[in-house]
């Protein structure tokens, strides 16, 4: 959905909208009545969308009518938390709770599962730029049973913190392009907080 042009966001991912099939292994997402495309032009992408969400599963940007693909990743993390613990998430407050618990000497999560709760915590971040950028990244880490923290620059091979937009050594772009800056119209990289061309604050 997120790789469609324009991108489509579900906007209401939660356990109620995931159906377990008869084989007891396969799942399907349901209830696409809230799904919307984000628009093709910069103006359409920036326009406020109808405020549709389920409390506890929706991130701040969606609550104010500005959903984007990473909003679904927040809801996915909330869903994983609910399915793993039996407790409904409380938005980014759950991320703070997990962070506290992971730092405690008597951490309630088994050592071999802590990477999983760290992944959930990252994707329940209040700041969209602190979450994973794509569902593809989440899938890769789930399959590897780890949280990726560093990446190598494809140009100079320097080690960079994951999700940094540019290499700290050679300035090579490390992340996917963003939508054009609504002030100057130029494209930046995911993870950039300000436009590198005009300095405008990016969402």
């Amino acid at each position: 959905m997120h790789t469609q042009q324009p991108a489509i966001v579900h906007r209401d991912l939660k356990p109620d909208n995931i159906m377990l099939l008869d084989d007891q292994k396969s799942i399907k997402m349901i209830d696409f009545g809230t799904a919307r495309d984000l628009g093709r032009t910069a103006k359409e992408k920036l326009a406020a969308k109808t405020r549709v969400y389920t409390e506890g599963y929706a991130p701040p940007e969606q609550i104010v009518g500005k959903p984007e693909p990473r909003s679904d990743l927040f809801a996915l993390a909330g869903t994983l938390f609910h399915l793993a613990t039996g407790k409904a998430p409380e938005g980014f407050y759950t991320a703070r709770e997990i962070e506290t618990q992971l730092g405690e000497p008597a951490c309630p999560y088994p050592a071999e599962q802590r990477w999983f709760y760290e992944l959930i915590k990252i994707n329940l971040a209040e700041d969209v730029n602190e979450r994973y950028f794509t569902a593809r990244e989440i899938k890769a880490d789930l399959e590897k049973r780890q949280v990726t923290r560093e990446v190598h620059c494809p140009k100079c091979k320097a080690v960079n913190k994951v999700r940094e937009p540019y290499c700290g050594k050679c300035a090579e772009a490390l992340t996917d392009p963003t939508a054009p800056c609504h002030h100057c119209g130029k494209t930046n990289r995911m993870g950039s907080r300000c436009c590198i061309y005009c300095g405008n604050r990016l969402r």
Side-chain angles (χ1 to χ4, degrees):
M1 291 170 63
H2 295 168
T3 59
Q4 299 296 309
Q5 292 297 329
I8 299 171
V9 291
H10 188 282
R11 300 198 299 172
D12 200 21
L13 182 57
K14 57 187 177 184
D16 288 350
N17 287 336
I18 299 174
M19 182 167 56
L20 181 65
L21 302 187
D22 290 340
D23 65 7
Q24 298 297 303
K25 295 179 181 178
S26 307
I27 60 172
K28 284 192 175 180
M29 288 174 58
I30 61 173
D31 193 359
F32 286 80
T34 60
R36 291 291 180 273
D37 73 64
L38 297 180
R40 294 184 182 279
T41 67
K43 184 177 180 180
E44 288 174 341
K45 290 174 181 174
L46 288 168
K49 308 296 186 290
T50 308
R51 297 181 187 186
V52 177
Y53 61 91
T54 298
E55 193 168 342
Y57 295 90
E61 73 275 2
Q62 184 173 336
I63 292 171
V64 299
K66 300 284 187 180
E68 61 144 90
R70 287 174 286 182
S71 304
D72 280 349
L73 303 187
F74 185 103
L76 173 60
T79 297
L80 291 173
F81 177 81
H82 197 162
L83 295 175
T85 66
K87 293 168 53 181
E90 297 180 12
F92 58 82
Y93 294 106
T94 295
R96 295 175 184 173
E97 177 188 337
I98 293 171
E99 184 170 27
T100 298
Q101 291 174 331
L102 286 171
E104 290 174 349
C107 176
Y109 309 125
E112 68 275 10
Q113 295 178 10
R114 289 176 192 167
W115 68 270
F116 177 71
Y117 288 93
E118 178 74 17
L119 182 147
I120 291 173
K121 182 201 82 167
I122 291 168
N123 287 290
L124 285 175
E126 183 176 8
D127 184 341
V128 67
N129 282 310
E130 292 178 6
R131 299 174 212 150
Y132 282 44
F133 290 165
T134 64
R136 183 177 66 244
E137 285 183 62
I138 293 181
K139 181 176 184 287
D141 273 4
L142 286 173
E143 289 175 343
K144 290 184 286 188
R145 302 175 69 86
Q146 69 174 38
V147 171
T148 299
R149 301 185 187 282
E150 297 177 335
V151 295
H152 288 85
C153 173
K155 185 177 180 181
C156 72
K157 309 305 179 187
V159 176
N160 290 268
K161 185 179 174 184
V162 71
R163 289 180 286 283
E164 285 295 315
Y166 300 96
C167 176
K169 184 176 181 182
C170 72
E172 176 76 0
L174 298 177
T175 60
D176 292 339
T178 62
C181 170
H182 68 272
H183 186 262
C184 72
K186 294 186 178 179
T187 300
N188 289 267
R189 293 286 168 164
M190 290 189 77
S192 298
R193 296 178 185 276
C194 296
C195 177
I196 62 170
Y197 302 98
C198 70
N200 184 63
R201 175 76 178 177
L202 299 171
R203 196 163 71 81

